[in-house]
């Protein structure tokens, strides 16, 4: 775009006779009146300026750079057609730039849609300041109490919103190639929900943009090739059940949510409990397993697995690396896990995930940045 913009300035220089350019005679596909030459020269300059501006915006990582480039492209190609005998090879550059514009538009459109969803999603957060006490845990099964104590939530503020930063690998079939993933995930607790936004690098030049959402008891998975072409757009009762279970299983990253009234727990054995979640007219349950020290090691549930012939209920297993526990803002949570479908044809591990950062009690503002919702708890209040 930068070089193409500079080349366009030659049309301006030639029209205004600012320098001698023997290679540019001004030959057009039809005869122009003399008084039209300079206005057309100004159009060459404007088109070049739009390309230069878009190149600068691209360098500054502004995802709306394509708007300037699109204007430059339309004007440029109109001028190239008019001056076809001498300018026709500029069409090649415009075709290359057009591909970039289309891809950039797809990314901008996808990101804009997700940003609007995040804004609406964050508006549902209703911070209610409350310090967790030991007495709040007394109605829970002993192993759950042990787990929450291991998480160090006593004396901490209840968690009402979460932002996770993630990386990992995923594949779509048991024999498929592993693809790298970078993702952000946002949770609300009082009204349970999440939005997961991921960039999946399928090949060096091919990526998938993904957004998984659970809101108001309903789920929606959207995946677009190059942020443009939908390759998955799942919603309905199976998706609702699956996203509810995902929320329930991912609660290990914001453990104070275990005290929510939409979750019922019962102890099955010394190291296992069943958690049943009911919200938005949907109910599903899964089994949490713990090691001898009280750390969560796995979560297993019956979840719908998508097939061409229709979704089927299969065993869905999330295993947690017991050596991956870290503290974030004083709360201890796991950072590594694998997600596996336990199919009749064999185990299919399709996602390997690492959480790189956890930010509690923040929300998204309109510009897409994080802002604190409430002040941090002061040390003397924590002690009290």
């Amino acid at each position: 775009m930068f070089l193409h913009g500079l080349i366009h300035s030659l049309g301006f220089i030639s029209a205004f006779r600012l320098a001698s350019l023997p290679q540019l005679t001004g030959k057009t596909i039809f005869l122009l009146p003399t008084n039209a030459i300079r206005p057309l020269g100004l159009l060459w300059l404007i088109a070049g300026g739009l390309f230069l501006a878009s190149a600068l915006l691209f360098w500054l990582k502004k995802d709306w750079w394509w708007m300037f480039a699109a204007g430059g492209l339309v004007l440029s190609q109109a001028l190239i057609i008019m001056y076809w005998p001498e300018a026709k090879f500029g069409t090649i550059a415009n075709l290359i730039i057009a591909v970039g514009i289309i891809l950039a538009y797809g990314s901008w459109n996808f990101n804009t849609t997700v940003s609007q969803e995040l804004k609406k999603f964050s508006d549902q957060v209703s911070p209610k300041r409350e310090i967790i006490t030991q007495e709040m845990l007394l109605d829970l099964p002993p192993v759950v109490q042990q787990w929450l104590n291991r998480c160090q939530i006593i004396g901490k503020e209840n968690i009402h919103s979460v932002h996770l930063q993630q990386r990992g690998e995923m594949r779509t079939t048991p024999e498929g190639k592993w693809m790298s993933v970078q993702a952000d995930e946002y949770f609300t607790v009082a009204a349970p929900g999440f939005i997961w936004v991921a960039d999946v690098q399928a090949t060096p030049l091919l990526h998938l943009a993904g957004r998984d959402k659970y809101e108001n008891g309903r789920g929606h998975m959207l995946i677009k090739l190059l942020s443009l072409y939908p390759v998955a757009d799942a919603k309905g009762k199976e998706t609702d059940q699956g996203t509810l279970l995902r929320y329930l299983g991912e609660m290990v990253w914001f453990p104070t949510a275990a005290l929510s009234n939409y979750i019922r727990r019962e102890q099955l054995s010394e190291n296992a409990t069943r958690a049943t979640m009911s919200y938005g007219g949907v109910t599903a349950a899964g089994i949490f397993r713990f090691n001898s020290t009280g750390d969560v090691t796995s979560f297993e549930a019956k979840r719908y697995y998508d097939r061409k012939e229709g979704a089927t209920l299969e065993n869905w297993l999330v295993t947690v690396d017991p050596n991956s526990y870290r503290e974030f803002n004083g709360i201890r949570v796991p950072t590594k896990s694998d997600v596996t479908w336990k199919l009749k044809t064999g185990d299919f591990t399709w996602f390997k995930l690492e959480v790189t950062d956890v930010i509690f009690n923040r929300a998204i503002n309109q510009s897409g940045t994080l802002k604190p919702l409430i002040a941090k708890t002061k040390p003397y209040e924590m002690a009290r």
Side-chain angles (χ1 to χ4, degrees):
M1 289 186 296
F2 179 76
L3 293 175
H4 201 41
L6 291 179
I7 291 172
H8 274 63
S9 66
L10 298 179
F12 169 77
I13 292 171
S14 175
F16 281 78
R17 301 181 183 276
L18 299 178
S20 178
L21 300 171
Q23 66 274 30
L24 297 180
T25 63
K27 187 176 181 180
T28 58
I29 58 175
F30 53 84
L31 188 64
L32 293 174
T34 304
N35 60 1
I37 294 176
R38 287 199 169 191
L40 288 172
L42 287 174
L43 291 179
W44 279 108
L45 184 65
I46 292 170
L50 288 170
F51 282 130
L52 292 174
S54 61
L56 175 62
L57 292 169
F58 179 87
W59 181 70
L60 293 173
K61 302 185 185 302
K62 303 296 183 182
D63 63 357
W64 40 273
W65 64 266
W66 64 270
M67 298 180 184
F68 282 77
L73 180 70
V74 171
L75 182 56
S76 169
Q77 195 58 38
L79 291 168
I80 286 172
I81 292 172
M82 187 175 294
Y83 287 87
W84 189 258
E86 295 178 342
K88 56 180 178 284
F89 292 109
T91 301
I92 298 173
N94 278 343
L95 287 173
I96 295 171
I97 292 172
V99 172
I101 289 172
I102 292 170
L103 296 177
Y105 165 77
S107 179
W108 171 84
N109 185 57
F110 183 86
N111 291 338
T112 299
T113 300
V114 171
S115 294
Q116 291 171 349
E117 289 181 338
L118 284 171
K119 173 60 175 61
K120 179 183 175 184
F121 186 71
S122 67
D123 287 343
Q124 298 180 19
V125 178
S126 301
K128 181 180 179 182
R129 184 169 182 148
E130 187 177 38
I131 302 301
I132 306 300
T133 65
Q134 193 70 50
E135 290 73 20
M136 294 179 181
L137 279 55
L138 294 179
D139 292 335
L140 297 171
V143 69
V144 176
Q145 294 187 43
Q146 184 183 22
W147 162 55
L148 293 176
N149 276 293
R150 289 280 291 171
C151 294
Q152 303 171 175
I153 68 168
I154 304 303
K156 306 290 183 8
E157 190 176 283
N158 67 305
I159 299 168
H160 50 71
S161 61
V162 190
H163 174 201
L164 297 182
Q165 294 176 344
Q166 307 166 339
R167 63 188 176 199
E169 296 178 303
M170 70 165 54
R171 56 184 178 179
T172 56
T173 63
E175 302 80 22
K177 174 188 173 185
W178 287 102
M179 302 176 289
S180 64
V181 180
Q182 296 285 336
D184 287 87
E185 189 166 15
Y186 305 87
F187 296 89
T188 57
V189 177
F194 66 78
I195 292 182
W196 182 72
V197 187
D199 182 78
V200 183
Q201 199 70 37
T203 68
L205 297 177
L206 192 66
H207 81 97
L208 300 169
R211 193 273 288 128
D212 197 11
K213 180 170 70 169
Y214 174 60
E215 186 177 19
N216 298 324
R218 300 294 175 261
H220 183 206
M221 164 63 85
L222 179 64
I223 301 175
K224 287 188 173 183
L225 179 64
L226 297 173
S227 301
L228 282 168
Y229 180 74
V231 294
D233 190 357
K235 60 179 67 174
K237 64 178 184 179
E238 292 88 356
T239 305
D240 297 343
Q241 186 257 21
T243 49
L244 182 148
L245 283 171
R246 175 173 176 172
Y247 179 89
L248 183 60
E250 293 183 342
M251 201 174 291
V252 294
W253 292 318
F254 44 104
T256 67
L259 302 173
S260 301
N261 58 12
Y262 47 78
I263 298 173
R264 185 177 75 256
R265 294 179 181 268
E266 55 182 315
Q267 188 140 343
L268 302 178
S269 67
E270 184 180 358
N271 294 315
T273 62
R274 177 184 289 109
T276 302
M277 179 170 167
S278 298
Y279 193 79
V282 180
T283 298
I287 296 174
F288 285 92
R289 301 190 188 279
F290 306 81
N291 60 19
S292 58
T293 61
D295 290 332
V296 172
T297 58
S298 69
F299 175 72
E300 187 170 6
K302 288 282 189 180
R303 185 176 177 180
Y304 283 101
Y305 178 72
D306 286 334
R307 301 177 185 272
K308 290 182 180 179
E309 57 273 17
T312 58
L313 273 175
E314 305 290 349
N315 288 325
W316 180 68
L317 175 66
V318 180
T319 55
V320 174
D321 181 352
N323 298 315
S324 69
Y325 279 79
R326 287 176 52 195
E327 284 188 23
F328 297 93
N329 297 325
I331 295 179
R332 185 173 172 274
V333 298
T335 59
K336 293 182 180 180
S337 60
D338 293 345
V339 185
T340 302
W341 287 102
K342 310 284 286 185
L343 306 175
K344 293 178 181 178
T345 54
D347 291 356
F348 169 31
T349 298
W350 73 278
F351 197 14
K352 297 180 178 180
L353 172 69
E354 180 180 4
V355 173
T356 58
D357 199 9
V358 184
I359 305 168
F360 297 117
N361 293 343
R362 298 291 188 273
I364 303 300
N365 63 16
Q366 293 186 24
S367 65
T369 56
L370 291 170
K371 63 177 182 179
L373 282 174
I374 53 180
K376 293 182 178 179
T377 305
K378 296 179 181 180
Y380 70 86
E381 292 174 323
M382 295 277 286
R384 184 178 63 185

